[in-house]
Amino acid sequence: MSSTPDPEQFQALLREHEAIVLKVAALYARHAEDRRDLVQEIGLQAWRSFGRFDPQRAKFSTWLYRIALNVSISLLRKSSGAWESRLESLGEHHLDYLAIDSPSEPDERLVALHSFIRQLDALNRALILLYLEDKSYADMAQILGLSETNVATKIGRIKRLLREQMTNVTIEEA
């Protein structure tokens, strides 16, 4: 992309992919006002970086996921300021934004899965979001700035922990 970004092109791409920004903001922000603020911060950081976006190296959606998750995770890590009470661990109401169909009567295993996801740190929560979005390990690695091997290892660990926890839930139900 040229060093002088085209605002109209940026706005069109951002509108086309706004679901990414809204989904990430919904997973990390507590209240509607905070989600709007986080969406604005993500948009601002995306605009600031747009001049360096290279469509030969990444799809816009991959690039935008990376920015959205990095901004959200960075704000969580800074948690010493005003954002501490505005960002939160994944809550039950956020899980609607994940690619999980919720039946009218919640399945106990689904409730356990939601509980498990809520306990994950910000990076692993981002990995699960991308995994549930059917992103490839290569895309996840590019978005999160990890190696594919690291992504595979982390996903494997998360799956192992989930299996252990789900086995415990099944045993307790019996």
Side-chain angles (χ1 to χ4, degrees), residues 78-150:
K78 287 180 184 174
S79 292
S80 60
W83 278 96
E84 182 173 3
S85 63
R86 299 169 71 185
L87 297 179
E88 65 177 345
S89 295
L90 189 61
E92 195 70 32
H93 60 286
H94 295 121
L95 293 163
D96 296 335
Y97 292 93
L98 296 175
I100 301 173
D101 293 326
S102 298
S104 57
E105 292 289 322
D107 180 319
E108 290 173 14
R109 293 180 318 167
L110 186 58
V111 170
L113 174 62
H114 289 184
S115 174
F116 173 78
I117 293 171
R118 275 196 308 275
Q119 296 170 23
L120 296 173
D121 64 29
L123 176 61
N124 287 327
R125 195 174 328 134
L127 277 166
I128 287 298
L129 168 66
L130 297 171
Y131 182 80
L132 292 173
E133 290 278 318
D134 289 326
K135 296 291 183 189
S136 69
Y137 285 6
D139 284 347
M140 287 186 231
Q142 187 174 21
I143 290 166
L144 296 171
L146 303 170
S147 69
E148 282 186 59
T149 303
N150 198 347

